[in-house]
Amino acid sequence: MAQLEINYALAMKDISLEKDALKDNQIIVKDIIKLIEENEDFEKILSSSFIIKEEKHSIIDKVFSSSINKDLLSFFHVIIENNRANLFLSILKEFNSLCNEYYGVVEGLCYSAFLLDKKQIEKLEKTLSIKEGKTVVLKNKVNPSLIGGVKIVINDHVYDSTVVNKIDNIKKNLLA
């Protein structure tokens, strides 16, 4: 992550802490990240050099004014005013990371051949929280090619107990 995104995210974190709204703002930001990732055109519009600042401000107001607090909305306007709208998603992701760090949380991906239920995810989170020394929050992604088992990626740690991985290991051992 570039220093510019980190600086903006740190400022947003400091403002949120000052207003005692860090947790609430993190929840809102996570929803906005999801919204932007699902609607690629939104980021393209904000990043476009063909759209003037006033129009970008208007878009931000129309999309977010009824669903976020005044401080976050003002911060989004600062990003636009400083010609950093192209970094909008990166800033939000960095803010989420800083919040996770503050709360001792680490997010990871859990790949499985089928969708896991809530209890299965909670059991994995509990086990991995002990191993990682932080609260682990997993997002389940389905990958049918894994056949069975799970592959969990948390930062630079990979826990792979998939059938595909076990087959690959058997092949390596037989060919060695």
Side-chain angles (χ1 to χ4, degrees):
M1 191 67 52
Q3 190 60 44
L4 197 55
E5 289 98 324
I6 293 169
N7 290 343
Y8 275 93
L10 281 168
M12 190 170 12
K13 178 186 162 212
D14 290 345
I15 291 167
S16 298
L17 282 170
E18 184 179 299
K19 301 285 184 171
D20 196 28
L22 187 64
K23 193 67 176 167
D24 292 338
N25 286 350
Q26 184 184 23
I27 292 167
I28 293 166
V29 164
K30 281 183 174 183
D31 289 341
I32 294 171
I33 290 169
K34 185 177 178 185
L35 173 102
I36 293 171
E37 289 178 339
E38 291 173 354
N39 301 286
E40 295 172 11
D41 291 341
F42 184 77
E43 188 174 24
K44 288 177 186 174
I45 290 168
L46 285 182
S47 299
S48 174
S49 57
F50 298 109
I51 299 176
I52 60 172
K53 284 182 189 179
E54 290 74 19
E55 187 63 31
K56 291 178 184 180
H57 285 295
S58 176
I59 291 167
I60 289 292
D61 285 337
K62 286 177 186 172
V63 173
F64 298 119
S65 65
S66 64
S67 60
I68 67 173
N69 63 53
K70 184 182 72 166
D71 294 321
L72 269 182
L73 187 63
S74 296
F75 195 81
F76 293 172
H77 284 294
V78 168
I79 292 171
I80 291 168
E81 198 56 40
N82 291 334
N83 295 314
R84 303 296 183 215
N86 60 317
L87 304 175
F88 195 72
L89 184 58
S90 299
I91 292 168
L92 296 180
K93 286 181 175 181
E94 183 61 28
F95 172 76
N96 183 55
S97 294
L98 290 171
C99 291
N100 284 342
E101 187 178 306
Y102 180 82
Y103 289 115
V105 171
V106 63
E107 293 180 353
L109 292 174
C110 176
Y111 299 95
S112 59
F114 54 89
L115 193 61
L116 301 177
D117 65 39
K118 188 176 179 179
K119 286 185 181 182
Q120 290 169 314
I121 292 290
E122 286 173 355
K123 187 176 180 181
L124 287 168
E125 288 173 339
K126 185 177 179 181
T127 302
L128 290 166
S129 292
I130 294 167
K131 280 189 171 201
E132 293 287 324
K134 292 184 177 187
T135 302
V136 173
V137 177
L138 295 174
K139 184 176 182 182
N140 190 202
K141 295 213 177 219
V142 175
N143 182 350
S145 69
L146 297 177
I147 303 171
V150 293
K151 177 180 180 179
I152 299 170
V153 180
I154 301 170
N155 294 329
D156 58 347
H157 295 122
V158 177
Y159 303 94
D160 194 342
S161 65
T162 60
V163 172
V164 170
N165 184 51
K166 289 178 182 177
I167 291 170
D168 287 344
N169 287 336
I170 290 170
K171 285 180 187 176
K172 286 177 191 174
N173 289 334
L174 289 174
L175 296 174

